Amino acid sequence: MTASANITWSSWAMVATLGLTWGGTFLVTEIALTGITPFWLAAGRIGFAAVLMIIIWRALGLRLFSAPASRSTLLAVIAIGGFSTAIPFMLLAWGQQYVTGGFAGVSMASVALIVLPLSHFFVPGERMTWRRTLGFVIGFVGVCILIGGQAFESSGASLETAGRLACVSAACCYGISSVLMRRLPAVDPIGLSTVLLLIAAIITIPLAIIIEGPPPRPDTQTLVVIAFLGLIPTAAANMLRVLVIRSAGPVFMSLTNYQVPLWSVLLGAWFLSEPLPPSLLLAMSLILVGVGLSQYGALRRLFRRSDAP
C-alpha cells in the first residue's frame, strides 16, 4: 500500500474537477437515454473508455505494478473493477427507474458516510475522529436540504423498495472499491485505470446483451454523446479518481459525492432553466462547513506549507 495520505492543492483541484464533471453527467445522460437503453448506455460509455485507455496505456509502455502482483492483489483488482464501475452503473441504471431523483442523489452523497467507517478499520491513517465524523454528517444534511422534499418522498412505483436498495447498494460499491484501491501496492495510475475499465467492460457488455438483447442502432447524436460520456466522465474521471484515492485517500475522495448534487442543481438551473431551491445558500453553507470540519487537519497543513518561506 502507498504511504500515508498526502493532500495537496492538486488533490483539491482534482476533487473539485470530479465534482463538476460527475454533477454535469446527469444532463448529458438524459440526452443519451432518448436514443439508447440504460444498460447499453452504461456498456457503451465503459467500452469506449476502455478502448481509449488501452491505446493510451499501450503508448506509455503498458506499465502496471512495480513488482510482480500476488494472487490476492490480482483478485482485489478484479473486485475493484466490478465495484468501482460495472456493478454500481448497472444498479443505478435499474434502480433509478423506480425511485425519485432526489433519493438517488442522497444515496450518492451517502458514499462519504459509508467510506468513513470502512477506512477507519481497513486503511491505516484514516481514523474516524469526532471532527471528521461531524463534518461528514453536516455535509450530508446539507445535501438533503439542497435536494429538499424529494430526498425521501415516495415515487409510488411497485418496486420502489428494491430500487432504493439498488441505489444504496451502488453507494456501498463505490465505498468498498475506494478502500480496496487504496490498499493496493505501488501501481501505475494509468495502467490501473485502464485495467479497471477493461474489467468493467467485460462485465457490463455481456450483461447488457442478456438483459436488453442486442445493442440498438443509435443515431449520430447519441453516438457523439456516448463518446463524450466515455471520454470525460468515464475515462478521464476514472483516471483522476485513481490518482486521488492513491495519493489523498478514500475519505478525501468521498468529498466528491457532496459536490455532485450541488453541481447537478446549479447546472440544471443554468442549462435547463430549472428552479433553484430557496434553501440553496443554507445547503451550500452546510456542505462547505462539513468539508472544512472533516478536512481541518489537511487544510491546516496545506496553508502552513503555503505560508512557509
Side-chain angles (χ1 to χ4, degrees):
M1 189 173 65
T2 58
S4 59
N6 180 30
I7 300 172
T8 65
W9 286 110
S10 296
S11 306
W12 285 99
M14 287 190 286
V15 161
T17 301
L18 285 170
L20 174 59
T21 301
W22 284 334
T25 300
F26 292 104
L27 295 175
V28 184
T29 300
E30 286 183 22
I31 298 172
L33 286 172
T34 61
I36 194 168
T37 52
F39 281 86
W40 273 114
L41 173 59
R45 63 184 283 195
I46 292 171
F48 180 87
V51 170
L52 180 64
M53 289 301 297
I54 287 171
I55 295 172
I56 296 172
W57 187 35
R58 182 179 177 83
L60 295 176
L62 299 174
R63 293 188 301 271
L64 191 57
F65 291 105
S66 56
S70 65
R71 184 179 179 183
S72 61
T73 297
L74 294 177
L75 290 174
V77 170
I78 294 172
I80 296 167
F83 284 129
S84 67
T85 305
I87 298 173
F89 272 34
M90 291 185 290
L91 285 172
L92 286 171
W94 185 85
Q96 284 186 260
Q97 299 176 94
Y98 307 109
V99 303
T100 62
F103 183 84
V106 168
S107 298
M108 292 303 97
S110 70
V111 171
L113 301 177
I114 293 167
V115 166
L116 192 59
L118 286 175
S119 296
H120 176 82
F121 290 108
F122 298 109
V123 181
E126 297 280 16
R127 304 296 295 173
M128 192 171 158
T129 64
W130 70 267
R131 184 186 286 118
R132 179 174 278 183
T133 304
L134 180 61
F136 278 111
V137 171
I138 290 173
F140 182 74
V141 171
V143 171
C144 292
I145 292 174
L146 173 69
I147 295 172
Q150 208 188 10
F152 298 106
E153 71 180 16
S154 174
S155 66
S158 59
L159 292 176
E160 182 177 17
T161 299
R164 288 188 172 193
L165 286 173
C167 291
V168 173
S169 297
C172 290
C173 286
Y174 285 129
I176 292 169
S177 68
S178 294
V179 171
L180 288 175
M181 192 183 300
R182 175 64 179 166
R183 291 177 59 86
L184 290 176
V187 62
D188 181 77
I190 293 178
L192 180 60
S193 302
T194 305
V195 171
L196 295 180
L197 285 171
L198 183 59
I199 292 168
I202 291 171
I203 295 171
T204 53
I205 293 174
L207 284 174
I209 295 172
I210 293 169
I211 295 169
E212 295 180 342
R217 186 171 296 176
D219 55 27
T220 302
Q221 175 183 290
T222 303
L223 286 174
V224 170
V225 172
I226 291 173
F228 173 82
L229 287 171
L231 175 62
I232 305 299
T234 307
N238 188 64
M239 189 164 60
L240 279 183
R241 180 172 183 259
V242 169
L243 287 169
V244 172
I245 292 173
R246 295 291 295 167
S247 60
V251 173
F252 184 79
M253 174 63 207
S254 67
L255 296 178
T256 304
N257 298 94
Y258 288 156
Q259 299 176 60
V260 170
L262 183 63
W263 281 115
S264 179
V265 169
L266 291 174
L267 292 173
W270 182 267
F271 291 104
L272 302 179
S273 300
E274 295 176 348
L276 285 173
S279 54
L280 176 65
L281 185 59
L282 173 60
M284 289 178 63
S285 299
L286 286 173
I287 291 171
L288 288 174
V289 168
V291 169
L293 271 175
S294 65
Q295 297 300 318
Y296 174 77
L299 285 168
R300 186 175 60 181
R301 290 191 297 272
L302 197 61
F303 282 106
R304 273 182 182 172
R305 285 201 296 267
S306 299
D307 294 337

